[in-house]
Amino acid sequence: MENVRVRFAPSPTGGLHIGGVRTALFNYLFAKKHKGEFILRIEDTDQGRFVEGAEDYILETLKWCQIEPDESPKHGGDFAPYRQSERTEIYRKYANQLIENGRAYYAFDTPKELEEMRERLTAAKVIKPQYNTVTRSTMRNSLTLSEEEVKKRIESGEPYVVRIKVPKDEEIRLKDLIRGWVKVNSEDIDDKVLMKSDGMPTYHLANVVDDHLMKITHVIRGEEWLPSAPLHVLLYQFLDWEETMPQFAHLPLILKPDGNGKLSKRAADKAGFPIFPLNWADKESNETAIGFKETGFLPEALINFLAFLGWNPGTEQEIFSLEELIEAFSIERINKAGTKFDFDKAKWFNQQYIKSTSSSVFAEDLRSELAEKHSITCDPVISKQIIDLLKERVTFAEEFLDASLVLFQHPTEYDEGVRNKKWNDEAPIALKLFSDKLERASIESPEQVKDLFWHTLESNGYKPGQFMQTLRFVLTGKGSGPDLMTMIQIMGSKKSSERINYSITLLSNNN
């Protein structure tokens, strides 16, 4: 496959939904698999819904996700401009061509007239009341008005739109790379608006013109655009571009966790998980939403998770680097059916990536947060050891801070269940023996701590295994947690001894 060019074409009408990121990812993987180009095009023709900051947000998201485009409004390219609002004259040219060739027409109908038409059709029990091959003959357009009247109306500045002239009773076919052949009768397609009264094109005209001029070879987009695909095929035919028409692939929907309907922001908010990749703040509506990044996700984990929403490699492997995803990806392995959004699975991916990431990546952030939020000074070597200790037990990187405080602060609460079960007359005596030995010891490894604990208790007639949880209890106030001997080694002999003595005194006085 040569000269593959794909595009991700979002509208800057708000924060980029995680489903949009999945679409961008699949386009990126396909392009890179075939040594092609991944293009970002901003489809901002709907100026009424334009949201300030949305375009920058899209670019920042793709950069954080490590799937940056080869061409975009920011990166430039041979087919600039990449914002549709800067290409209006191009679209006007092709709209005029369609009119001249009898493939489109002017329509002067007012919103009131359009509503009256729909009401008449509804009253006549027409299932789909729309502007089509039948109703166009009853409306005010260049098909029912004289050429002179049309010219007069345009010159007077009367508002109008340009509509495609859908042929009567023709089969329109396209082969979708995921769904196979799609066949639609033209009677089921209405005469969509191609150019709006404000002079801006609709998505239908703009995306077809841009895909052709930008030499897009494959259109990989969401399933919601599948009903529009036959109309786009017609436009390729009407503009004599059928031979260079891109191949289509419509991705399956991302469903709510219960599988009941398409995933939405409302559903995500209700379930308590993010739906935007980065924090999103809408200046106009004051809408704010936390992102996956700020929740604590690593970009590699999010990308790995999203890749499995509707695609599978055909193997048991689940953890993929971006390079491995590129190598394994194929459109043939994309599912037709919708895929459930499983946030627990997303968290599992994040856990795996935290475990496999070098501790030094998180260590400096931990040091900074300890100093800034708790006035705790932590040696670089110690901070790395803390990350090593906690990596198996956290889901998000932000959990390292709270989980590490037990190594620097005395317990403020003690688990009553463990206390009732483990704190007896022998406990303070046995642990004080170990504390005294520990205070004077030089400890360099968890194994040394364990040997010292075992030898001290056994030599004094105690069974060490009976006091392991009690030792954790006096050190942390809890009955479970990270490796206990490693914790003591990190805390150091003297601080660990102090902690044990502190808890023994407190617990004994409270008996």
Side-chain angles (χ1 to χ4, degrees):
M1 195 177 297
E2 296 182 2
N3 303 319
V4 166
R5 288 176 59 81
V6 299
R7 49 67 165 182
F8 175 53
S11 298
T13 55
L16 181 62
H17 187 289
I18 203 67
V21 181
R22 197 271 306 258
T23 298
L25 173 63
F26 281 20
N27 274 277
Y28 179 90
L29 295 177
F30 183 78
K32 299 310 168 185
K33 173 69 176 285
H34 298 287
K35 314 299 182 187
E37 284 79 42
F38 169 56
I39 294 96
L40 171 67
R41 189 173 69 223
I42 301 297
E43 302 204 338
D44 59 347
T45 58
D46 191 346
Q47 294 292 294
R49 297 178 61 217
F50 175 81
V51 173
E52 183 181 352
E55 181 181 322
D56 289 338
Y57 180 87
I58 293 166
L59 287 161
E60 289 170 12
T61 291
L62 297 182
K63 182 176 182 180
W64 180 70
C65 291
Q66 302 168 12
I67 54 174
E68 287 197 81
D70 301 295
E71 303 169 22
S72 76
K74 177 182 177 181
H75 300 82
D78 294 338
F79 299 90
Y82 292 93
R83 291 186 191 91
Q84 288 189 334
S85 60
E86 299 171 5
R87 299 170 62 86
T88 53
E89 290 305 313
I90 298 173
Y91 310 129
R92 190 178 304 279
K93 168 188 171 183
Y94 289 104
N96 290 337
Q97 179 180 319
L98 289 168
I99 292 171
E100 291 170 5
N101 294 340
R103 298 299 193 175
Y105 57 94
Y106 299 106
F108 302 94
D109 315 285
T110 65
K112 182 180 179 181
E113 289 170 334
L114 291 171
E115 181 59 29
E116 289 173 348
M117 178 265 287
R118 284 188 286 268
E119 289 175 355
R120 288 196 304 272
L121 293 174
T122 300
K125 298 184 179 181
V126 174
I127 297 175
K128 288 184 178 180
Q130 56 190 11
Y131 209 122
N132 57 19
T133 57
V134 175
T135 57
R136 69 167 74 121
S137 63
T138 67
M139 306 301 289
R140 288 193 306 125
N141 53 57
S142 57
L143 302 178
T144 59
L145 299 173
S146 67
E147 185 176 337
E148 182 181 347
E149 179 68 13
V150 170
K151 183 179 179 182
K152 179 181 177 181
R153 288 175 181 272
I154 293 174
E155 290 178 348
S156 70
E158 183 176 340
Y160 66 87
V161 299
V162 175
R163 290 182 178 273
I164 186 172
K165 186 181 178 184
V166 176
K168 188 174 183 179
D169 195 24
E170 287 188 10
E171 183 179 76
I172 304 165
R173 296 159 45 95
L174 73 142
K175 188 173 185 180
D176 187 279
L177 295 175
I178 297 172
R179 302 162 194 283
W181 282 102
V182 176
K183 303 174 184 178
V184 176
N185 190 282
S186 61
E187 296 298 301
D188 295 322
I189 303 174
D190 57 335
D191 289 0
K192 294 290 187 186
V193 173
L194 302 180
M195 294 290 288
K196 295 176 286 187
S197 58
D198 62 2
M200 297 295 281
T202 61
Y203 171 84
H204 305 295
L205 178 64
N207 100 87
V208 166
V209 169
D210 285 345
D211 286 347
H212 174 75
L213 296 181
M214 293 181 182
K215 301 186 183 299
I216 301 302
T217 60
H218 297 77
V219 171
I220 304 171
R221 58 189 179 186
E223 180 182 314
E224 62 270 21
W225 291 111
L226 184 59
S228 299
L231 175 69
H232 300 162
V233 170
L234 276 181
L235 283 170
Y236 280 105
Q237 294 174 352
F238 291 173
L239 290 164
D240 295 324
W241 295 339
E242 195 170 9
E243 289 187 5
T244 58
M245 184 173 68
Q247 297 184 69
F248 293 96
H250 289 88
L251 305 176
L253 293 176
I254 299 177
L255 306 175
K256 298 175 186 177
D258 62 6
N260 185 23
K262 183 180 178 182
L263 181 66
S264 64
K265 182 180 182 300
R266 180 179 297 180
D269 289 344
K270 186 176 180 180
F273 58 79
I275 200 169
F276 297 114
L278 311 178
N279 277 356
W280 169 248
D282 190 322
K283 297 178 181 178
E284 295 181 13
S285 67
N286 292 320
E287 173 193 24
T288 60
I290 192 170
F292 275 85
K293 176 184 178 182
E294 291 75 15
T295 300
F297 278 86
L298 301 177
E300 299 86 354
L302 180 60
I303 286 300
N304 200 153
F305 167 67
L306 290 178
F308 276 76
L309 288 182
W311 171 84
N312 73 82
T315 67
E316 296 299 315
Q317 182 180 349
E318 289 188 280
I319 303 300
F320 286 79
S321 67
L322 185 58
E323 291 71 25
E324 289 173 327
L325 283 173
I326 291 169
E327 179 63 28
F329 186 78
S330 69
I331 286 182
E332 290 75 18
R333 298 209 65 85
I334 295 176
N335 304 323
K336 296 179 184 178
T339 180
K340 296 179 184 178
F341 188 93
D342 185 347
F343 189 59
D344 287 335
K345 189 67 174 182
K347 293 192 291 185
W348 178 85
F349 273 108
N350 210 53
Q351 287 176 319
Q352 306 313 305
Y353 275 87
I354 286 178
K355 289 178 185 179
S356 63
T357 300
S358 170
S359 295
S360 58
V361 171
F362 306 110
E364 186 55 39
D365 284 343
L366 176 62
R367 288 185 67 225
S368 298
E369 290 182 337
L370 284 168
E372 180 183 338
K373 298 179 180 179
H374 299 280
S375 301
I376 295 172
T377 301
C378 182
D379 181 84
V381 174
I382 296 298
S383 65
K384 187 174 182 299
Q385 291 176 347
I386 294 172
I387 299 297
D388 284 335
L389 172 70
L390 300 174
K391 277 171 70 172
E392 296 288 327
R393 306 182 67 84
V394 303
T395 299
F396 303 117
E398 63 183 14
E399 296 172 10
F400 282 123
L401 177 62
D402 287 344
S404 70
L405 293 179
V406 69
L407 298 166
F408 300 97
Q409 300 172 345
H410 288 329
T412 57
E413 295 181 352
Y414 293 85
D415 187 304
E416 284 299 318
V418 179
R419 180 175 181 171
N420 293 334
K421 183 178 180 182
K422 293 293 184 179
W423 192 251
N424 52 39
D425 292 339
E426 290 185 327
I429 301 171
L431 295 182
K432 186 66 171 67
L433 289 169
F434 173 61
S435 173
D436 291 343
K437 289 284 187 179
L438 183 62
E439 183 181 15
R440 299 187 295 271
S442 176
I443 299 297
E444 295 183 359
S445 71
E447 290 73 23
Q448 284 182 292
V449 179
K450 185 176 181 179
D451 289 344
L452 180 64
F453 179 73
W454 230 256
H455 181 265
T456 301
L457 267 65
E458 283 185 333
S459 63
N460 285 277
Y462 295 102
K463 294 181 179 180
Q466 293 181 359
F467 295 94
M468 286 290 285
Q469 190 178 35
T470 317
L471 176 60
R472 180 185 295 279
F473 175 66
V474 298
L475 283 166
T476 69
K478 300 177 181 179
S480 62
D483 183 74
L484 180 59
M485 301 308 167
T486 303
M487 290 179 68
I488 294 173
Q489 184 249 317
I490 291 173
M491 291 169 63
S493 301
K494 290 186 177 181
K495 287 188 177 180
S496 297
S497 177
E498 283 178 18
R499 180 82 63 85
I500 295 170
N501 294 335
Y502 168 85
S503 292
I504 288 174
T505 301
L506 186 65
L507 292 165
S508 297
N509 290 339
N510 289 337
N511 275 347

